[in-house]
mmCIF file of all heavy atoms in Angstrom:
data_model
loop_
_atom_site.group_PDB
_atom_site.id
_atom_site.type_symbol
_atom_site.label_atom_id
_atom_site.label_comp_id
_atom_site.label_asym_id
_atom_site.label_seq_id
_atom_site.Cartn_x
_atom_site.Cartn_y
_atom_site.Cartn_z
ATOM 1 N N THR N 87 -51.642 140.705 -44.613
ATOM 2 C CA THR N 87 -51.599 139.465 -45.397
ATOM 3 C C THR N 87 -50.303 138.733 -45.060
ATOM 4 O O THR N 87 -49.284 139.373 -44.821
ATOM 5 C CB THR N 87 -51.641 139.791 -46.902
ATOM 6 O OG1 THR N 87 -52.855 140.477 -47.199
ATOM 7 C CG2 THR N 87 -51.558 138.522 -47.744
ATOM 8 N N TRP N 88 -50.348 137.419 -45.042
ATOM 9 C CA TRP N 88 -49.131 136.637 -44.859
ATOM 10 C C TRP N 88 -49.091 135.489 -45.860
ATOM 11 O O TRP N 88 -50.105 135.126 -46.462
ATOM 12 C CB TRP N 88 -48.958 136.143 -43.427
ATOM 13 C CG TRP N 88 -50.065 135.353 -42.827
ATOM 14 C CD1 TRP N 88 -50.079 134.003 -42.630
ATOM 15 C CD2 TRP N 88 -51.300 135.838 -42.284
ATOM 16 N NE1 TRP N 88 -51.248 133.643 -42.023
ATOM 17 C CE2 TRP N 88 -52.007 134.746 -41.787
ATOM 18 C CE3 TRP N 88 -51.867 137.117 -42.164
ATOM 19 C CZ2 TRP N 88 -53.255 134.865 -41.191
ATOM 20 C CZ3 TRP N 88 -53.106 137.237 -41.569
ATOM 21 C CH2 TRP N 88 -53.789 136.125 -41.098
ATOM 22 N N TYR N 89 -47.882 134.959 -46.037
ATOM 23 C CA TYR N 89 -47.621 134.038 -47.118
ATOM 24 C C TYR N 89 -46.871 132.794 -46.618
ATOM 25 O O TYR N 89 -46.223 132.834 -45.581
ATOM 26 C CB TYR N 89 -46.774 134.718 -48.195
ATOM 27 C CG TYR N 89 -47.353 136.034 -48.677
ATOM 28 C CD1 TYR N 89 -46.998 137.230 -48.078
ATOM 29 C CD2 TYR N 89 -48.264 136.052 -49.726
ATOM 30 C CE1 TYR N 89 -47.542 138.424 -48.501
ATOM 31 C CE2 TYR N 89 -48.805 137.250 -50.169
ATOM 32 C CZ TYR N 89 -48.437 138.431 -49.551
ATOM 33 O OH TYR N 89 -48.982 139.608 -49.975
ATOM 34 N N LEU N 90 -46.976 131.758 -47.404
ATOM 35 C CA LEU N 90 -46.175 130.557 -47.164
ATOM 36 C C LEU N 90 -45.583 130.146 -48.511
ATOM 37 O O LEU N 90 -46.306 129.672 -49.386
ATOM 38 C CB LEU N 90 -46.997 129.421 -46.585
ATOM 39 C CG LEU N 90 -46.217 128.171 -46.179
ATOM 40 C CD1 LEU N 90 -45.294 128.485 -44.993
ATOM 41 C CD2 LEU N 90 -47.126 127.011 -45.858
ATOM 42 N N GLN N 91 -44.292 130.373 -48.663
ATOM 43 C CA GLN N 91 -43.587 129.933 -49.869
ATOM 44 C C GLN N 91 -43.133 128.501 -49.643
ATOM 45 O O GLN N 91 -42.402 128.215 -48.689
ATOM 46 C CB GLN N 91 -42.378 130.837 -50.128
ATOM 47 C CG GLN N 91 -41.536 130.406 -51.311
ATOM 48 C CD GLN N 91 -42.263 130.537 -52.631
ATOM 49 O OE1 GLN N 91 -42.981 131.501 -52.855
ATOM 50 N NE2 GLN N 91 -42.087 129.562 -53.522
ATOM 51 N N MET N 92 -43.586 127.615 -50.503
ATOM 52 C CA MET N 92 -43.282 126.186 -50.351
ATOM 53 C C MET N 92 -42.436 125.736 -51.532
ATOM 54 O O MET N 92 -42.921 125.755 -52.677
ATOM 55 C CB MET N 92 -44.586 125.391 -50.265
ATOM 56 C CG MET N 92 -45.517 125.859 -49.155
ATOM 57 S SD MET N 92 -46.987 124.834 -48.970
ATOM 58 C CE MET N 92 -47.818 125.153 -50.513
ATOM 59 N N ASP N 93 -41.219 125.350 -51.272
ATOM 60 C CA ASP N 93 -40.303 124.889 -52.306
ATOM 61 C C ASP N 93 -39.956 123.428 -52.076
ATOM 62 O O ASP N 93 -40.097 122.899 -50.973
ATOM 63 C CB ASP N 93 -39.018 125.742 -52.298
ATOM 64 C CG ASP N 93 -39.302 127.197 -52.597
ATOM 65 O OD1 ASP N 93 -40.110 127.465 -53.508
ATOM 66 O OD2 ASP N 93 -38.707 128.065 -51.936
ATOM 67 N N ASN N 94 -39.457 122.795 -53.125
ATOM 68 C CA ASN N 94 -39.060 121.385 -53.056
ATOM 69 C C ASN N 94 -40.172 120.559 -52.415
ATOM 70 O O ASN N 94 -39.946 119.770 -51.472
ATOM 71 C CB ASN N 94 -37.759 121.231 -52.270
ATOM 72 C CG ASN N 94 -37.173 119.838 -52.371
ATOM 73 O OD1 ASN N 94 -37.474 119.088 -53.297
ATOM 74 N ND2 ASN N 94 -36.347 119.482 -51.393
ATOM 75 N N LEU N 95 -41.360 120.714 -52.930
ATOM 76 C CA LEU N 95 -42.507 120.030 -52.363
ATOM 77 C C LEU N 95 -42.411 118.528 -52.526
ATOM 78 O O LEU N 95 -41.880 118.022 -53.539
ATOM 79 C CB LEU N 95 -43.795 120.546 -52.991
ATOM 80 C CG LEU N 95 -44.263 121.909 -52.427
ATOM 81 C CD1 LEU N 95 -45.210 122.599 -53.399
ATOM 82 C CD2 LEU N 95 -44.921 121.709 -51.082
ATOM 83 N N LYS N 96 -42.929 117.815 -51.532
ATOM 84 C CA LYS N 96 -42.903 116.363 -51.513
ATOM 85 C C LYS N 96 -44.335 115.826 -51.444
ATOM 86 O O LYS N 96 -45.230 116.536 -50.971
ATOM 87 C CB LYS N 96 -42.132 115.869 -50.286
ATOM 88 C CG LYS N 96 -40.705 116.389 -50.192
ATOM 89 C CD LYS N 96 -40.046 115.927 -48.909
ATOM 90 C CE LYS N 96 -38.634 116.463 -48.807
ATOM 91 N NZ LYS N 96 -37.962 116.020 -47.555
ATOM 92 N N PRO N 97 -44.557 114.609 -51.880
ATOM 93 C CA PRO N 97 -45.922 114.054 -51.805
ATOM 94 C C PRO N 97 -46.507 114.102 -50.398
ATOM 95 O O PRO N 97 -47.722 114.297 -50.235
ATOM 96 C CB PRO N 97 -45.729 112.617 -52.282
ATOM 97 C CG PRO N 97 -44.566 112.697 -53.215
ATOM 98 C CD PRO N 97 -43.649 113.713 -52.601
ATOM 99 N N GLU N 98 -45.668 113.967 -49.394
ATOM 100 C CA GLU N 98 -46.164 114.006 -48.009
ATOM 101 C C GLU N 98 -46.589 115.398 -47.561
ATOM 102 O O GLU N 98 -47.135 115.555 -46.472
ATOM 103 C CB GLU N 98 -45.120 113.442 -47.033
ATOM 104 C CG GLU N 98 -43.753 114.041 -47.171
ATOM 105 C CD GLU N 98 -42.835 113.188 -48.041
ATOM 106 O OE1 GLU N 98 -43.296 112.668 -49.088
ATOM 107 O OE2 GLU N 98 -41.643 113.052 -47.661
ATOM 108 N N ASP N 99 -46.355 116.406 -48.399
ATOM 109 C CA ASP N 99 -46.855 117.755 -48.101
ATOM 110 C C ASP N 99 -48.313 117.916 -48.532
ATOM 111 O O ASP N 99 -48.932 118.953 -48.256
ATOM 112 C CB ASP N 99 -46.004 118.808 -48.807
ATOM 113 C CG ASP N 99 -44.578 118.853 -48.290
ATOM 114 O OD1 ASP N 99 -44.393 118.765 -47.059
ATOM 115 O OD2 ASP N 99 -43.656 118.977 -49.125
ATOM 116 N N THR N 100 -48.840 116.930 -49.220
ATOM 117 C CA THR N 100 -50.232 116.990 -49.662
ATOM 118 C C THR N 100 -51.163 117.092 -48.455
ATOM 119 O O THR N 100 -51.090 116.277 -47.533
ATOM 120 C CB THR N 100 -50.586 115.734 -50.477
ATOM 121 O OG1 THR N 100 -49.801 115.723 -51.675
ATOM 122 C CG2 THR N 100 -52.060 115.719 -50.848
ATOM 123 N N ALA N 101 -52.001 118.118 -48.470
ATOM 124 C CA ALA N 101 -52.894 118.366 -47.334
ATOM 125 C C ALA N 101 -53.773 119.579 -47.669
ATOM 126 O O ALA N 101 -53.546 120.267 -48.658
ATOM 127 C CB ALA N 101 -52.093 118.656 -46.071
ATOM 128 N N VAL N 102 -54.742 119.817 -46.794
ATOM 129 C CA VAL N 102 -55.463 121.094 -46.826
ATOM 130 C C VAL N 102 -54.717 122.031 -45.885
ATOM 131 O O VAL N 102 -54.450 121.684 -44.724
ATOM 132 C CB VAL N 102 -56.928 120.937 -46.364
ATOM 133 C CG1 VAL N 102 -57.608 122.294 -46.344
ATOM 134 C CG2 VAL N 102 -57.668 119.972 -47.285
ATOM 135 N N TYR N 103 -54.359 123.181 -46.406
ATOM 136 C CA TYR N 103 -53.591 124.159 -45.639
ATOM 137 C C TYR N 103 -54.539 125.256 -45.151
ATOM 138 O O TYR N 103 -55.315 125.828 -45.934
ATOM 139 C CB TYR N 103 -52.476 124.746 -46.487
ATOM 140 C CG TYR N 103 -51.316 123.791 -46.637
ATOM 141 C CD1 TYR N 103 -51.430 122.654 -47.433
ATOM 142 C CD2 TYR N 103 -50.104 124.015 -45.989
ATOM 143 C CE1 TYR N 103 -50.380 121.760 -47.557
ATOM 144 C CE2 TYR N 103 -49.048 123.124 -46.105
ATOM 145 C CZ TYR N 103 -49.189 121.989 -46.898
ATOM 146 O OH TYR N 103 -48.143 121.114 -47.018
ATOM 147 N N TYR N 104 -54.421 125.564 -43.862
ATOM 148 C CA TYR N 104 -55.255 126.572 -43.221
ATOM 149 C C TYR N 104 -54.397 127.699 -42.674
ATOM 150 O O TYR N 104 -53.355 127.436 -42.049
ATOM 151 C CB TYR N 104 -56.031 125.973 -42.051
ATOM 152 C CG TYR N 104 -56.983 124.871 -42.428
ATOM 153 C CD1 TYR N 104 -56.568 123.537 -42.468
ATOM 154 C CD2 TYR N 104 -58.317 125.133 -42.707
ATOM 155 C CE1 TYR N 104 -57.435 122.521 -42.789
ATOM 156 C CE2 TYR N 104 -59.202 124.124 -43.035
ATOM 157 C CZ TYR N 104 -58.755 122.819 -43.073
ATOM 158 O OH TYR N 104 -59.616 121.809 -43.395
ATOM 159 N N CYS N 105 -54.846 128.931 -42.861
ATOM 160 C CA CYS N 105 -54.159 130.011 -42.178
ATOM 161 C C CYS N 105 -54.884 130.318 -40.875
ATOM 162 O O CYS N 105 -56.071 130.051 -40.725
ATOM 163 C CB CYS N 105 -54.023 131.254 -43.059
ATOM 164 S SG CYS N 105 -55.546 132.034 -43.592
ATOM 165 N N ASN N 106 -54.132 130.885 -39.965
ATOM 166 C CA ASN N 106 -54.621 131.122 -38.612
ATOM 167 C C ASN N 106 -53.995 132.406 -38.088
ATOM 168 O O ASN N 106 -52.873 132.744 -38.448
ATOM 169 C CB ASN N 106 -54.220 129.947 -37.721
ATOM 170 C CG ASN N 106 -54.509 130.196 -36.255
ATOM 171 O OD1 ASN N 106 -53.671 130.693 -35.509
ATOM 172 N ND2 ASN N 106 -55.705 129.841 -35.838
#
Side-chain angles (χ1 to χ4, degrees):
T87 299
W88 55 105
Y89 307 92
L90 186 68
Q91 177 66 40
M92 304 185 294
D93 298 318
N94 190 22
L95 282 159
K96 303 176 181 180
E98 51 264 41
D99 295 318
T100 295
V102 177
Y103 284 71
Y104 298 89
C105 62
N106 172 269

